[in-house]
């Protein structure tokens, strides 16, 4: 996903700078929620089972969206691979 965002940087910047940016970010986060629930939380959750699943999914997707916004604001200096490594280092202990 990060690779795709990098390859389409101009389109993404346009989406985030227009009036519809809130709509785009909401759709992006909703899509991430489904992906995270299906691919990660339902299959890999080993710890923190006392945390409600919807809270955990919201936390992870929100963190991912904020990471992408940080990356874009900082002119995408990091590679998608570096960003993936950073994100996994922060999120995997929670799962």
């Amino acid at each position: 996903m990060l690779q795709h965002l990098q390859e389409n940087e101009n389109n993404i910047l346009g989406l985030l700078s227009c009036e519809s940016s809130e709509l785009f970010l909401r759709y992006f986060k909703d899509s991430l929620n489904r992906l995270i629930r299906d691919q990660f939380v339902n299959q890999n959750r080993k710890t923190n089972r006392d945390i409600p699943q919807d809270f955990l999914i919201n936390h992870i997707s929100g963190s991912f969206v904020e990471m992408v916004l940080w990356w874009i604001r900082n002119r995408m200096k990091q590679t998608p691979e570096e960003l993936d490594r950073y994100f996994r280092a922060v999120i995997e202990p929670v799962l």
Side-chain angles (χ1 to χ4, degrees), residues 20-76:
S20 302
S21 64
E22 293 288 327
L23 181 63
F24 169 74
L25 288 173
R26 190 172 349 134
Y27 175 78
F28 184 43
K29 190 168 183 270
D30 288 347
S31 297
L32 283 171
N33 284 344
R34 287 189 296 278
L35 177 69
I36 291 164
R37 182 186 59 245
D38 297 342
Q39 299 295 318
F40 299 101
V41 174
N42 285 346
Q43 295 180 16
N44 298 319
R45 192 168 179 193
K46 295 176 177 72
T47 60
N48 297 317
R49 292 198 173 268
D50 56 329
I51 298 173
Q53 182 175 329
D54 61 331
F55 176 87
L56 185 60
I57 291 167
N58 183 67
H59 174 75
I60 294 169
S61 65
S63 180
F64 189 86
V65 168
E66 287 299 321
M67 176 191 69
V68 168
L69 292 172
W70 171 85
W71 186 42
I72 290 169
R73 278 188 227 111
N74 287 290
R75 299 192 161 109
M76 297 180 156

